[in-house]
């Protein structure tokens, strides 16, 4: 049961370009949408998160855009750098219940020189 | 910073063996989780625990059990390891409250031969 669909599965972006990863969710009870970044050999780490009462959140070069009516959200990485090469996971959480994050399937990002 | 420590980075076990994966967190978090990570499938929840001695099945509990005798420690048990349990296993913890994400360990890569 895939409640969070993530695309693309992999992405290659040139240094300085914009990386865009998209997610769509089904569960309208989700009220917290985090993005995780995972480097090889490491566990995922929280990168940025948004609540559905705002349409955009920006932290440095990372921006989440959120469209509640379409049940979609996306991660934009501006001025992508080779150090951003990692796997990115979107997720949804219903904070009112069991605190279980539901993850997307992940996007492997490669930023080339 | 919260630290979630998984006792082994790599494990190789034989089919039919009973396998214990250990996870310890140091920030008094009530909630703990076990996920497995497979390429193209993202992170799938195996079991989680709200508090000591409390546990609930996640999305893929078959072939696994868990133990939480102390708040800081959450163990995943493979009762009789099989080759389809070869995977990366990730432990995470979280404190209840709105808009809080998980903290993950670095993972245990288990190979069953």
């Amino acid at each position: 049961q895939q409640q969070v669909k993530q695309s693309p599965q992999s992405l290659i972006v040139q240094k300085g370009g914009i990386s865009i990863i998209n997610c769509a969710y089904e569960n309208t009870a989700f009220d917290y949408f985090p993005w995780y970044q995972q480097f090889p050999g490491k566990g995922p780490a929280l990168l940025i998160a948004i609540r559905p009462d705002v349409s955009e959140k920006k932290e440095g070069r990372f921006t989440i855009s959120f469209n509640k009516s379409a049940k979609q959200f996306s991660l934009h990485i501006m001025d992508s750098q080779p150090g951003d090469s990692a796997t990115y996971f979107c997720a949804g959480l219903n904070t009112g219940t069991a605190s279980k994050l539901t993850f997307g399937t992940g996007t492997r990002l490669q930023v080339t020189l | 910073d919260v630290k979630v420590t998984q006792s082994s980075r790599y494990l190789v076990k034989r089919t039919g063996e009973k396998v214990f994966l250990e996870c310890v967190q140091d920030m008094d978090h009530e909630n703990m989780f076990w996920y497995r990570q497979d390429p193209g499938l993202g992170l799938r929840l195996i079991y989680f625990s709200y508090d000591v001695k409390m546990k609930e099945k996640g999305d893929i509990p078959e072939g696994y059990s868990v133990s939480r005798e102390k708040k800081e420690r959450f163990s995943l048990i493979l009762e009789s390891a099989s080759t389809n349990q070869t995977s990366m296993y990730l432990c995470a913890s979280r404190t209840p409250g709105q808009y809080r994400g998980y903290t993950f360990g670095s993972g245990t890569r288990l190979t069953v031969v």
Side-chain angles (χ1 to χ4, degrees), chain A residues 2 9 31-32 34 36 38 41-46 51-52 87 89 93 95 97-106, chain B residues 9 31 33 35 37 39-43 45 48 50 57 59 90 94 96-107:
Chain A
Q2 179 58 278
Q9 191 170 359
D31 58 355
Y32 177 72
Y36 284 80
Q38 184 181 29
K42 301 286 188 182
L46 181 64
R51 291 157 45 182
T87 299
F89 293 95
L93 174 67
T95 60
T97 59
S99 301
K100 295 182 292 178
L101 277 170
T102 299
F103 287 90
T105 51
Chain B
R9 292 297 304 273
N31 303 157
F33 308 83
Y35 284 83
Q37 181 177 11
L41 297 177
L43 285 77
L45 182 64
F48 63 103
Y50 289 117
K57 294 179 180 179
D59 300 318
L90 289 162
R94 176 176 183 267
Q98 288 186 324
Y99 317 125
R100 294 176 185 266
Y102 294 0
T103 300
F104 281 90
S106 293

Side-chain angles (χ1 to χ4, degrees), chain A:
Chain A
Q1 185 184 2
Q2 179 58 278
Q3 293 190 30
V4 180
K5 294 183 179 178
Q6 182 172 349
S7 64
Q9 191 170 359
S10 64
L11 182 61
I12 300 174
V13 174
Q14 279 196 325
K15 180 182 175 182
I18 303 173
S19 303
I20 301 174
I21 304 170
N22 300 299
C23 287
Y25 64 97
E26 299 170 4
N27 188 343
T28 55
F30 289 158
D31 58 355
Y32 177 72
F33 298 89
W35 284 87
Y36 284 80
Q37 180 187 55
Q38 184 181 29
F39 293 107
K42 301 286 188 182
L46 181 64
L47 179 64
I48 186 173
I50 196 168
R51 291 157 45 182
D53 52 349
V54 298
S55 60
E56 185 175 283
K57 183 171 183 181
K58 185 175 182 180
E59 290 184 1
R61 295 183 295 108
F62 300 90
T63 300
I64 302 177
S65 297
F66 191 87
N67 184 332
K68 188 173 182 179
S69 61
K71 294 189 286 185
Q72 294 175 348
F73 59 111
S74 59
L75 177 69
H76 292 63
I77 306 174
M78 312 300 287
D79 187 26
S80 298
Q81 299 296 313
D84 297 329
S85 297
T87 299
Y88 293 82
F89 293 95
C90 61
L93 174 67
N94 178 353
T95 60
T97 59
S99 301
K100 295 182 292 178
L101 277 170
T102 299
F103 287 90
T105 51
T107 297
R108 177 176 273 184
L109 171 66
Q110 183 182 352
V111 181
T112 61
L113 293 171

Side-chain angles (χ1 to χ4, degrees), chain B residues 10 20 29 41 44 65 67 74 86 88 105:
Chain B
Y10 300 95
F20 293 85
H29 282 178
L41 297 177
R44 294 179 292 166
S65 62
S67 172
F74 191 35
T86 292
M88 169 70 85

